[in-house]
Amino acid sequence: DAMVIQNPRYQVTQFGKPVTLSCSQTLNHNVMYWYQQKSSQAPKLLFHYYDKDFNNEADTPDNFQSRRPNTSFCFLDIRSPGLGDAAMYLCATSRALAGTETDTQYFGPGTRLTVL
Amino acid sequence: QKEVEQNSGPLSVPEGAIASLNCTYSDRGSQSFFWYRQYSGKSPELIMSIYSNGDKEDGRFTAQLNKASQYVSLLIRDSQPSDSATYLCAAPRSNDYKLSFGAGTTVTVRA
């Protein structure tokens, strides 16, 4: 089945220790997104790629970086995690940014990040 | 004004009843609307998308869109305990196409 996969599902890191979260997709979608979701809050967009074009949200901290080496994979790097970065990190994909029925976003299962 | 607003809930309904969730949006240029279901500790799962005015039915779920009133709703018929979750309404912004999410409505179906 075509899907969005995230690894690991749970990640524990120490304060300040870099961590990388990965996302892969078999949907062959052009757009990949990273969201941060904290308890009882809506997902918050960090950045997205349209193909290789990177778009960073204005309020995304510099501590967060992303890489998309190919269509299928996208990585979220947190250079120096703080306690406030503990959250669920969600990867999503869509065929296009907008347009009739091509902008539907499909989410992966998420990675729960704990910062000690 | 928030771009997407949902009735805050929480909403508690007995098993077998209809759960009604409401959502309003401020961006008249939004063309597509989505309902996601999110179980506690899990990721959002798409349950309905709607693009045209009127009703769209999928099993026990019916989405209703009224662009003139800038209103989207989701009805869950014959509610089951497995429907207990948070439901997120979302719509892309017309200026940059990024999804705006409502705060979510938590539904509890009582057995």
Side-chain angles (χ1 to χ4, degrees):
Chain A
D1 286 341
M3 56 197 320
V4 183
I5 301 162
Q6 291 188 244
N7 284 302
R9 296 291 307 277
Y10 301 91
Q11 176 73 58
V12 179
T13 191
Q14 292 180 335
F15 182 94
K17 185 174 182 181
V19 67
T20 295
L21 311 181
S22 78
C23 176
S24 63
Q25 52 125 344
T26 60
L27 297 161
N28 204 31
H29 281 174
N30 295 310
V31 194
M32 295 186 78
Y33 309 81
W34 280 105
Y35 289 88
Q36 178 193 64
Q37 187 177 28
K38 296 187 176 180
S39 182
S40 301
Q41 296 182 19
K44 176 181 181 298
L45 183 64
L46 297 173
F47 22 59
H48 76 272
Y49 275 93
Y50 187 100
D51 288 335
K52 291 189 180 296
D53 292 335
F54 177 71
N55 186 304
N56 197 37
E57 291 301 291
D59 58 354
T60 298
D62 292 341
N63 197 25
F64 291 85
Q65 311 262 304
S66 185
R67 297 169 283 135
R68 189 178 185 185
N70 55 51
T71 301
S72 301
F73 283 86
C74 196
F75 299 97
L76 170 62
D77 300 309
I78 309 176
R79 293 192 295 186
S80 182
L83 297 178
D85 297 328
M88 172 81 89
Y89 290 87
L90 299 164
C91 175
T93 73
S94 65
R95 186 172 302 282
L97 281 174
T100 54
E101 303 187 42
T102 60
D103 55 358
T104 303
Q105 291 190 26
Y106 298 92
F107 285 85
T111 296
R112 171 76 61 189
L113 178 68
T114 300
V115 182
L116 301 177
Chain B
Q1 182 185 9
K2 291 183 180 177
E3 291 165 335
V4 176
E5 297 204 52
Q6 296 183 238
N7 51 332
S8 57
L11 182 64
S12 179
V13 298
E15 186 172 358
I18 295 175
S20 177
L21 291 77
N22 302 317
C23 175
T24 58
Y25 60 95
S26 60
D27 185 346
R28 284 200 171 272
S30 292
Q31 295 296 316
S32 48
F33 304 88
F34 306 96
W35 284 100
Y36 289 89
R37 176 176 63 198
Q38 188 170 25
Y39 293 115
S40 180
K42 303 295 185 184
S43 66
E45 173 192 8
L46 181 73
I47 54 171
M48 289 287 282
S49 59
I50 187 165
Y51 299 85
S52 305
N53 277 330
D55 295 359
K56 180 181 178 182
E57 188 174 315
D58 184 358
R60 296 184 294 108
F61 298 96
T62 299
Q64 300 173 317
L65 173 60
N66 184 324
K67 290 186 179 180
S69 300
Q70 295 178 242
Y71 175 87
V72 189
S73 67
L74 180 70
L75 298 177
I76 307 172
R77 291 185 303 281
D78 187 24
S79 295
Q80 301 297 307
S82 60
D83 296 325
S84 298
T86 296
Y87 291 80
L88 297 166
C89 174
R93 301 190 297 230
S94 60
N95 61 342
D96 61 12
Y97 309 116
K98 295 171 186 173
L99 268 188
S100 288
F101 286 91
T105 299
T106 298
V107 174
T108 301
V109 180
R110 310 187 302 271

